Amino acid sequence: MAPRTCLTVVLAAGEGTRMKSDLPKVLHAAAGRTLVGHAIGAARGAGTDRLAVVVGPGREDVVAEVRKHAPEAQIFVQEDRRGTAHAVLQARAALEQPADDLLILFADTPLIEPETLARMREALAEGASVAVLGFHPENAEGYGRLIVENGLLTAIREDRDASADEKKIGFCNAGLMALAGKDALELLDGVGNANAKREFYLTDVVGLARAAGWKTVALEADEAEVQGVNTRAQLAAIEAVVQKKLRAAAMEGGVTLVAPETVFLSADTKFGRDILVEPHVFFGPGVTVEDGVTIRAYCHFEGAHIGKDVTIGPFARLRPGALLGAHTRIGNFVEIKNAVLENDVKVNHLAYVGDAHVGADANIGAGAITCNYDGARKHHTEIGAGAFVGVNSALVAPVTIGDGAYIGTGSVITKDVPADALAVARARQMVKEGWAAQRRKTHPKKDKS
Ligand code: UD1
Ligand code: CA
């Protein structure tokens, strides 16, 4: 039998006024990935063949973010917010070519696990027309209640439409839903808005399916997995759940986290194995770490590649475009930005290397700086293989230091230095014999008494 096909519609139209933000809710991030990015990831994990995303009007920013994660997605705009069923129906053009399974995800409920979505798809494969995801929240207030009779779901009652008895039900609707593709459009088109909010509720498809004599079921998930984001506090709760998962996966893959709860990862952080991460390290988006790397305490990375057997930190910062070759050593208070360091480079203390290429085996001394910015534009610094840049040197870009060249301590280098040359660019030392003793005579200390 051919595998069942799947269309996923992600609802990403929420403004999220309770976030008190200029940013729409779905562009807020957890573990360096936007909520809509997480939802798209979940859709992929569920084996989605086609993806449709419904966004709010004028949200070019959300569209761009969706494109980043899913260039192939069909994007639809919900002009007026008239309810969850109305939102799904904006994707009519996608729904008109039904897949076997239709998954409906909310971008503000980003922690849903692929396994759970797979269970919902299984329910469809077993003949259900509608599979709803339920959970038992600590506090059911505000949630739609799932009314289950003899193992079958009979209705979902929105909180504001529920009777006093129905409000006592603890089994609640998580929101997400799976519909049999062949029935979906008929069900969605059947939804009306005769309710307290005059909205077209997606949840009404349950009653409609029942009336048609089709099977409707409710599955259960953990509350942690179906947590929604309406506030910044809930965003932080989601962050905590994601971090826990990412740390566990990193350790499972062969990374030692000395104090896991102090290490912050991004959803896209990539690790090799036999990596040691000391406490208090932050991995922003776009970081890859190869085998055998040691990361000492208090480092901050984003958009960086850390090659095999590198040792870095404590207190080092890698900014986007930092590419460290194998066996490189980066010490304390070093910042690297948009720079390629070939194998075995040493930058052991207090240096800034930006917009540069550093050849293999070069040594950058303490306090050395690439002066890459002239106040208007950025310029490139080339440091040759095996070069030695002395302590407290300023390399004023654009400038090239040849292979094996030597820069004397405290130099301000403004001109290219040929291979194997010595460049010293500082005032020559002057010594005046007896000068200090003479001065003490002409400027005696005042008597303090
Ligand atoms: C919904 C469910 C409720 C469930 C709860 C779980 C419905 C009718 N109710 O209620 O049973 O317990 O989620 O959190 O589905 N959206 C649109 N366009 C709209 C309306 C909503 O895109 O016109 C999107 C929202 O951005 C959000 C999602 O759909 O991502 C859910 O909408 P929301 O208004 O938050 O529904 P709830 O009242 O929370
Ligand atoms: Ca909600």
Side-chain angles (χ1 to χ4, degrees), residues 25 81 106 108-109 142-143 228-230:
K25 180 162 72 177
R81 207 181 152 81
F106 294 173
D108 67 355
T109 310
Y143 289 110
V229 177
N230 296 309

Side-chain angles (χ1 to χ4, degrees), residues 11-15 25-26 54 78 80-87 105-109 135 142-145 156-158 160 172-175 177 197 199-203 226 228 230:
L11 301 190
E15 286 296 320
K25 180 162 72 177
V26 300
V54 180
Q78 185 190 26
D80 305 302
R81 207 181 152 81
R82 298 175 64 194
T84 40
H86 179 262
L105 307 187
F106 294 173
D108 67 355
T109 310
F135 70 118
Y143 289 110
R145 307 302 203 286
I156 307 179
R157 195 80 67 232
E158 287 307 298
R160 56 182 78 75
C172 292
N173 178 24
M177 217 178 264
K197 261 178 112 184
E199 277 193 1
F200 295 87
Y201 289 161
L202 177 59
T203 45
V226 294
N230 296 309

